[in-house]
Amino acid sequence: GISLGNITERDVKCLVENVLALDKAYPLPLLGVMLEKFPAKYEPAVWWPGKRKEGNTEERNTKKRNSNNNGWSEELEMELKEVIEVVKTKDIEDYERLGNILLKINKSVAIAGPLLTGVAAIGSTFVGNGSIAAIVAVMAGSLGAVVNAFEHGGQIGMVFEMYRNCGGFFKMLEESVDDTLEEKDYEMRENGELFEMKMALMLGRSVCEMRQLALKSASCRMEGIEVDEFASKLF
């Protein structure tokens, strides 16, 4: 937009929103503010700006559907909804659970490492005054070295960021499907077949496998049971 020379206030706001979204999602010093290392709770990384709703939503949703369905059908919509439901109940929940566990571990070792190292340093000054001080200093130093090696060698912070980014990917996928299906005018949507193929590629599966997942999920839902290990293996 900037290189074209025709800049409007809306273009500037859009660019600012994109930069702010990137700054929140990734540990890059874009604006001199780093990503919060120890957030209060796990939240998926969001690197895309929020959707701006323009015009009358009610009026847009009540438009008559064009006779050309643009590759969309009721079966395709149900398939996408089922896949997203599986993603929400399997992948997103798993990443949230694991992310919270890693966050707690990261906080604990970040406190324990320097604390044990400090105890070892203080204890070493009293080594000559008795054997207990020497034992405490050695034990604290050894534990501090183990904790620091576990924290940095295990890359706990990096693993947490990986979980947060993966959770953000599935959240973006969910929002993409929801936003597309909210548009009642088929002509305003992306072509249905292309959208289905793109979604399958993003999930690393074939269109046929994704359809099988949707059918399995729908059948399990009708029987009143949870989706079995087939879904978790597929993703």
Side-chain angles (χ1 to χ4, degrees):
I2 295 178
S3 60
L4 297 178
N6 299 323
I7 301 300
T8 64
E9 185 177 353
R10 181 178 176 182
D11 293 328
V12 174
K13 288 182 179 179
C14 184
L15 289 171
V16 170
E17 286 178 0
N18 277 279
V19 173
L20 291 175
L22 284 171
D23 185 57
K24 290 179 180 178
Y26 294 103
L28 300 174
L30 297 176
L31 303 176
V33 180
M34 296 295 287
L35 179 68
E36 187 179 2
K37 186 175 182 181
F38 303 112
K41 62 178 182 178
Y42 166 88
E43 290 184 355
V46 177
W47 59 89
W48 61 96
K51 179 184 176 184
R52 292 191 300 271
K53 295 185 177 180
E54 299 175 356
N56 193 323
T57 305
E58 212 174 282
E59 181 181 345
R60 186 173 65 249
N61 291 339
T62 54
K63 283 184 178 179
K64 293 183 179 180
R65 296 188 179 183
N66 195 296
S67 57
N68 181 8
N69 292 337
N70 194 22
W72 288 93
S73 65
E74 187 176 349
E75 290 76 14
L76 177 56
E77 292 185 357
M78 292 302 298
E79 173 193 332
L80 296 176
K81 289 178 181 179
E82 287 295 340
V83 172
I84 290 301
E85 189 64 29
V86 173
V87 168
K88 288 169 61 178
T89 55
K90 292 289 181 181
D91 299 270
I92 293 179
E93 286 187 2
D94 286 344
Y95 280 117
E96 182 176 358
R97 176 176 56 82
L98 294 172
N100 282 316
I101 292 174
L102 260 297
L103 179 60
K104 291 177 182 178
I105 294 175
N106 198 20
K107 288 181 178 180
S108 300
V109 296
I111 295 173
L115 180 62
L116 290 170
T117 303
V119 171
I122 295 173
S124 64
T125 60
F126 300 98
V127 171
N129 297 331
S131 58
I132 297 179
I135 293 173
V136 171
V138 171
M139 290 184 63
S142 300
L143 290 174
V146 171
V147 170
N148 288 326
F150 176 69
E151 179 184 8
H152 299 292
Q155 294 293 315
I156 298 176
M158 184 181 71
V159 175
F160 172 71
E161 291 303 324
M162 180 191 71
Y163 285 151
R164 184 149 59 172
N165 289 337
C166 289
F169 166 75
F170 287 113
K171 183 177 178 63
M172 180 186 69
L173 200 65
E174 178 187 353
E175 288 188 9
S176 176
V177 172
D178 290 342
D179 292 343
T180 300
L181 297 182
E182 281 179 5
E183 179 57 64
K184 300 305 180 183
D185 188 352
Y186 290 146
E187 283 298 309
M188 298 298 294
R189 295 182 184 179
E190 183 179 353
N191 181 270
E193 295 176 357
L194 292 178
F195 187 86
E196 180 186 28
M197 185 180 298
K198 183 176 72 174
M199 184 173 173
L201 290 173
M202 291 175 70
L203 293 172
R205 302 296 169 181
S206 66
V207 175
C208 182
E209 288 176 328
M210 195 171 72
R211 289 174 180 171
Q212 289 177 358
L213 171 65
L215 290 173
K216 185 67 175 179
S217 175
S219 62
C220 290
R221 194 185 305 280
M222 291 179 64
E223 294 173 5
I225 59 176
E226 294 183 356
V227 180
D228 59 12
E229 293 182 1
F230 173 81
S232 59
K233 287 181 180 178
L234 189 59
F235 288 103

